[in-house]
Amino acid sequence: MAKAYDHLFKLLLIGDSGVGKTCLIIRFAEDNFNSTYISTIGIDFKIRTVDIEGKKIKLQVWDTAGQERFKTITTAYYRGAMGIILVYDITDEKSFENIQNWMKSIKENASAGVERLLLGNKCDMEAKRKVQREQADKLAREHGIRFFETSAKSSTNVDEAFSSLARDILLKSGSRRSGNSNKPPITELKTSDKKNASKCSLV
Ligand SMILES: Nc1nc2c(ncn2[C@@H]2O[C@H](COP(=O)(O)OP(=O)(O)OP(=O)(O)O)[C@@H](O)[C@H]2O)c(=O)[nH]1
Protein backbone atom coordinates (compact mmCIF):
# COMPACT_ATOMS: atom_id res chain seq x y z
CA MET A 1 0.00 0.00 0.00
CA ALA A 2 1.30 3.47 -0.91
CA LYS A 3 2.35 5.65 2.01
CA ALA A 4 -0.28 8.31 2.72
CA TYR A 5 2.32 11.06 3.09
CA ASP A 6 5.94 11.90 2.26
CA HIS A 7 6.80 13.89 5.38
CA LEU A 8 5.41 14.41 8.85
CA PHE A 9 6.02 17.85 10.34
CA LYS A 10 5.19 18.75 13.92
CA LEU A 11 4.10 22.35 14.42
CA LEU A 12 3.32 24.18 17.65
CA LEU A 13 1.27 27.32 18.29
CA ILE A 14 2.17 29.58 21.20
CA GLY A 15 1.03 33.01 22.37
CA ASP A 16 -1.06 34.69 25.07
CA SER A 17 -4.37 33.28 26.18
CA GLY A 18 -7.27 34.34 23.95
CA VAL A 19 -5.28 35.42 20.86
CA GLY A 20 -6.97 32.70 18.79
CA LYS A 21 -4.54 29.77 18.62
CA THR A 22 -7.25 27.11 18.91
CA CYS A 23 -9.45 28.91 16.36
CA LEU A 24 -6.57 29.13 13.86
CA ILE A 25 -5.97 25.38 14.17
CA ILE A 26 -9.68 24.57 13.84
CA ARG A 27 -9.94 26.85 10.79
CA PHE A 28 -6.90 25.17 9.23
CA ALA A 29 -7.77 21.54 10.08
CA GLU A 30 -11.58 21.60 9.87
CA ASP A 31 -12.42 24.86 8.07
CA ASN A 32 -14.67 25.87 10.93
CA PHE A 33 -15.00 28.76 13.39
CA ASN A 34 -16.72 29.12 16.75
CA SER A 35 -16.97 32.42 18.61
CA THR A 36 -17.47 30.74 22.00
CA TYR A 37 -14.24 30.96 23.97
CA ILE A 38 -13.17 27.75 25.69
CA SER A 39 -9.66 28.17 27.04
CA THR A 40 -7.30 25.30 26.20
CA ILE A 41 -6.23 23.16 29.13
CA GLY A 42 -2.70 21.90 28.70
CA ILE A 43 -2.13 20.72 25.14
CA ASP A 44 -3.99 19.18 22.19
CA PHE A 45 -3.35 18.52 18.48
CA LYS A 46 -5.05 18.29 15.08
CA ILE A 47 -3.89 16.90 11.77
CA ARG A 48 -4.16 18.02 8.15
CA THR A 49 -2.24 16.81 5.11
CA VAL A 50 -1.26 19.43 2.53
CA ASP A 51 0.40 19.29 -0.87
CA ILE A 52 3.62 21.28 -1.12
CA GLU A 53 6.06 21.20 -4.05
CA GLY A 54 4.47 17.92 -5.16
CA LYS A 55 4.97 16.33 -1.74
CA LYS A 56 2.29 15.19 0.68
CA ILE A 57 3.05 16.81 4.00
CA LYS A 58 1.21 15.60 7.05
CA LEU A 59 1.02 18.44 9.55
CA GLN A 60 0.53 17.56 13.17
CA VAL A 61 -0.43 20.89 14.72
CA TRP A 62 -0.11 21.19 18.49
CA ASP A 63 -2.24 23.70 20.36
CA THR A 64 -0.88 25.00 23.67
CA ALA A 65 -2.67 26.76 26.51
CA GLY A 66 -1.64 30.41 26.70
CA GLN A 67 -2.26 30.66 30.42
CA GLU A 68 0.86 30.97 32.56
CA ARG A 69 -0.20 28.11 34.90
CA PHE A 70 0.24 25.58 32.04
CA LYS A 71 3.73 26.74 31.09
CA THR A 72 5.58 23.74 32.56
CA ILE A 73 3.43 21.35 30.54
CA THR A 74 3.49 23.32 27.29
CA THR A 75 7.22 24.12 27.18
CA ALA A 76 7.90 20.37 27.37
CA TYR A 77 6.47 20.13 23.83
CA TYR A 78 8.74 22.78 22.27
CA ARG A 79 11.64 20.38 21.76
CA GLY A 80 9.79 18.05 19.38
CA ALA A 81 8.47 20.88 17.17
CA MET A 82 9.96 21.54 13.75
CA GLY A 83 8.02 24.78 13.39
CA ILE A 84 6.66 27.17 16.00
CA ILE A 85 3.95 29.74 15.26
CA LEU A 86 3.91 32.78 17.54
CA VAL A 87 0.47 34.35 17.68
CA TYR A 88 -0.68 37.76 18.97
CA ASP A 89 -4.02 39.54 18.65
CA ILE A 90 -3.96 42.79 16.60
CA THR A 91 -6.56 44.28 18.99
CA ASP A 92 -4.48 43.51 22.10
CA GLU A 93 -1.22 45.42 22.51
CA LYS A 94 -0.09 43.36 25.50
CA SER A 95 -0.26 40.15 23.47
CA PHE A 96 2.12 41.77 20.95
CA GLU A 97 4.53 43.03 23.63
CA ASN A 98 4.61 39.50 25.05
CA ILE A 99 5.86 38.07 21.75
CA GLN A 100 9.37 38.98 22.98
CA ASN A 101 8.81 36.70 25.99
CA TRP A 102 7.48 33.90 23.78
CA MET A 103 10.60 34.28 21.59
CA LYS A 104 12.74 33.93 24.70
CA SER A 105 10.81 30.84 25.69
CA ILE A 106 11.56 29.30 22.26
CA LYS A 107 15.25 30.05 22.71
CA GLU A 108 15.23 28.35 26.10
CA ASN A 109 13.11 25.33 25.25
CA ALA A 110 13.04 24.54 21.51
CA SER A 111 15.54 22.82 19.23
CA ALA A 112 18.14 25.17 17.74
CA GLY A 113 17.06 24.83 14.09
CA VAL A 114 13.33 25.33 14.66
CA GLU A 115 11.49 27.43 12.02
CA ARG A 116 9.43 30.29 13.44
CA LEU A 117 6.50 32.28 12.07
CA LEU A 118 4.75 35.38 13.47
CA LEU A 119 0.97 35.79 13.12
CA GLY A 120 -1.15 38.83 14.00
CA ASN A 121 -4.59 37.26 14.35
CA LYS A 122 -8.14 38.76 14.38
CA CYS A 123 -7.39 41.06 11.46
CA ASP A 124 -11.14 41.05 10.69
CA MET A 125 -11.45 43.48 13.64
CA GLU A 126 -9.86 46.46 11.92
CA ALA A 127 -11.87 49.02 13.90
CA LYS A 128 -10.36 47.72 17.15
CA ARG A 129 -6.80 47.48 15.86
CA LYS A 130 -4.11 48.41 18.43
CA VAL A 131 -1.03 46.91 16.80
CA GLN A 132 0.03 48.42 13.49
CA ARG A 133 1.17 46.10 10.77
CA GLU A 134 4.48 47.98 10.48
CA GLN A 135 5.37 47.31 14.15
CA ALA A 136 5.02 43.56 13.69
CA ASP A 137 6.75 43.67 10.32
CA LYS A 138 9.74 45.34 12.00
CA LEU A 139 9.81 42.77 14.81
CA ALA A 140 9.63 39.88 12.33
CA ARG A 141 12.51 41.34 10.34
CA GLU A 142 14.62 41.77 13.47
CA HIS A 143 14.17 38.05 14.15
CA GLY A 144 14.52 37.07 10.48
CA ILE A 145 11.13 35.38 10.34
CA ARG A 146 8.00 35.62 8.18
CA PHE A 147 4.90 37.48 9.27
CA PHE A 148 1.22 37.31 8.28
CA GLU A 149 -1.90 39.00 9.55
CA THR A 150 -4.63 36.36 9.80
CA SER A 151 -8.24 35.92 10.73
CA ALA A 152 -9.49 32.55 11.89
CA LYS A 153 -12.97 34.05 11.68
CA SER A 154 -12.89 35.21 8.05
CA SER A 155 -10.31 32.58 7.05
CA THR A 156 -7.85 35.24 5.85
CA ASN A 157 -4.29 33.98 5.30
CA VAL A 158 -4.74 30.90 7.50
CA ASP A 159 -3.90 28.29 4.84
CA GLU A 160 -1.20 30.60 3.46
CA ALA A 161 0.48 30.90 6.87
CA PHE A 162 0.57 27.16 7.63
CA SER A 163 1.67 26.31 4.08
CA SER A 164 4.43 28.90 4.18
CA LEU A 165 5.84 27.42 7.38
CA ALA A 166 5.57 23.87 6.03
CA ARG A 167 7.34 24.96 2.83
CA ASP A 168 10.19 26.53 4.78
CA ILE A 169 10.63 23.36 6.84
CA LEU A 170 10.54 21.24 3.68
CA LEU A 171 13.11 23.39 1.89
CA LYS A 172 15.31 23.44 4.94
CA SER A 173 15.27 19.65 5.27
CA GLY A 174 16.04 19.35 1.53
CA SER A 175 18.87 21.87 1.65
CA ARG A 176 20.34 20.16 4.69
CA ARG A 177 20.60 17.02 2.57
CA SER A 178 21.83 18.70 -0.63
CA GLY A 179 23.92 21.38 1.05
CA ASN A 180 22.24 24.42 -0.58
CA SER A 181 19.29 26.55 0.44
CA ASN A 182 16.27 27.12 -1.84
CA LYS A 183 14.41 29.15 0.75
CA PRO A 184 13.11 32.37 -0.79
CA PRO A 185 14.44 35.35 1.14
CA ILE A 186 11.94 36.84 3.55
CA THR A 187 11.96 40.18 1.69
CA GLU A 188 10.67 38.42 -1.46
CA LEU A 189 7.40 37.73 0.31
CA LYS A 190 6.69 41.39 0.87
CA THR A 191 4.61 41.94 -2.27
CA SER A 192 2.21 39.09 -1.64
CA ASP A 193 2.03 39.97 2.04
CA LYS A 194 1.05 43.53 1.14
CA LYS A 195 -1.72 42.21 -1.10
CA ASN A 196 -2.99 40.05 1.73
CA ALA A 197 -2.75 42.95 4.16
CA SER A 198 -5.12 45.09 2.13
CA LYS A 199 -7.46 42.13 1.75
CA CYS A 200 -7.27 41.75 5.49
CA SER A 201 -8.11 45.34 6.33
CA LEU A 202 -11.07 45.28 3.90
CA VAL A 203 -12.80 42.40 5.67
N1 LIG B 1 -13.03 38.31 15.57
C1 LIG B 1 -12.22 37.26 15.74
N2 LIG B 1 -12.28 36.52 16.86
C2 LIG B 1 -11.44 35.47 16.99
C3 LIG B 1 -10.52 35.11 15.97
N3 LIG B 1 -9.82 34.04 16.40
C4 LIG B 1 -10.30 33.74 17.61
N4 LIG B 1 -11.27 34.59 17.98
C5 LIG B 1 -12.03 34.57 19.25
O1 LIG B 1 -11.12 34.80 20.32
C6 LIG B 1 -11.47 34.01 21.46
C7 LIG B 1 -10.27 33.16 21.89
O2 LIG B 1 -9.95 32.23 20.86
P1 LIG B 1 -9.12 30.88 21.15
O3 LIG B 1 -8.78 30.28 19.85
O4 LIG B 1 -9.84 30.02 22.12
O5 LIG B 1 -7.82 31.49 21.87
P2 LIG B 1 -6.51 30.72 22.39
O6 LIG B 1 -5.34 31.52 21.98
O7 LIG B 1 -6.54 29.30 21.95
O8 LIG B 1 -6.68 30.81 23.98
P3 LIG B 1 -6.07 29.82 25.12
O9 LIG B 1 -6.57 28.44 24.86
O10 LIG B 1 -6.60 30.36 26.43
O11 LIG B 1 -4.58 29.93 25.07
C8 LIG B 1 -12.70 33.19 21.05
O12 LIG B 1 -13.86 33.84 21.52
C9 LIG B 1 -12.66 33.20 19.54
O13 LIG B 1 -13.93 33.08 18.94
C10 LIG B 1 -10.48 35.91 14.78
O14 LIG B 1 -9.71 35.70 13.84
N5 LIG B 1 -11.36 36.96 14.72
Side-chain angles (χ1 to χ4, degrees):
M1 206 174 78
K3 206 170 150 202
Y5 58 89
D6 300 301
H7 300 276
L8 169 69
F9 292 164
K10 291 180 188 171
L11 310 181
L12 187 77
L13 272 81
I14 61 173
D16 282 8
S17 184
V19 296
K21 299 177 296 296
T22 303
C23 287
L24 283 164
I25 295 174
I26 290 175
R27 171 62 74 194
F28 177 65
E30 298 167 0
D31 198 14
N32 224 327
F33 179 79
N34 193 331
S35 54
T36 318
Y37 177 28
I38 304 166
S39 198
T40 304
I41 297 185
I43 190 137
D44 192 12
F45 77 88
K46 291 207 181 293
I47 284 182
R48 181 174 154 192
T49 302
V50 292
D51 242 69
I52 291 171
E53 316 262 335
K55 300 271 182 220
K56 285 218 175 329
I57 315 284
K58 185 169 173 172
L59 296 177
Q60 196 179 79
V61 190
W62 290 83
D63 184 13
T64 61
Q67 286 179 44
E68 186 68 28
R69 64 194 171 111
F70 295 114
K71 208 144 192 195
T72 318
I73 305 171
T74 56
T75 49
Y77 285 80
Y78 283 36
R79 187 75 58 201
M82 298 153 94
I84 298 186
I85 301 179
L86 298 115
V87 188
Y88 69 91
D89 171 352
I90 70 148
T91 72
D92 175 2
E93 204 154 6
K94 187 82 193 143
S95 73
F96 178 66
E97 286 166 13
N98 272 336
I99 288 293
Q100 295 283 14
N101 297 328
W102 292 109
M103 290 277 193
K104 206 165 142 242
S105 194
I106 293 179
K107 223 171 176 181
E108 288 166 357
N109 297 289
S111 305
V114 69
E115 282 287 326
R116 295 165 302 163
L117 173 71
L118 178 65
L119 299 186
N121 191 41
K122 306 196 188 180
C123 73
D124 56 286
M125 296 173 83
E126 189 56 43
K128 293 196 170 165
R129 179 189 285 274
K130 296 273 163 40
V131 183
Q132 297 312 312
R133 203 191 143 74
E134 293 68 31
Q135 293 171 258
D137 215 29
K138 183 167 171 277
L139 181 72
R141 276 165 186 279
E142 281 166 8
H143 287 272
I145 65 176
R146 299 193 199 282
F147 161 61
F148 290 88
E149 284 195 342
T150 56
S151 166
K153 186 175 183 179
S154 68
S155 204
T156 307
N157 274 344
V158 178
D159 276 11
E160 287 82 348
F162 280 92
S163 295
S164 143
L165 181 59
R167 184 172 294 110
D168 282 348
I169 297 170
L170 179 69
L171 293 176
K172 192 182 209 173
S173 62
S175 64
R176 218 184 285 131
R177 275 195 295 272
S178 68
N180 59 47
S181 171
N182 294 320
K183 183 175 172 177
I186 280 153
T187 44
E188 259 182 38
L189 282 184
K190 287 301 295 166
T191 330
S192 62
D193 276 3
K194 282 245 168 70
K195 218 192 301 155
N196 286 327
S198 57
K199 187 170 76 183
C200 202
S201 48
L202 284 172
V203 175

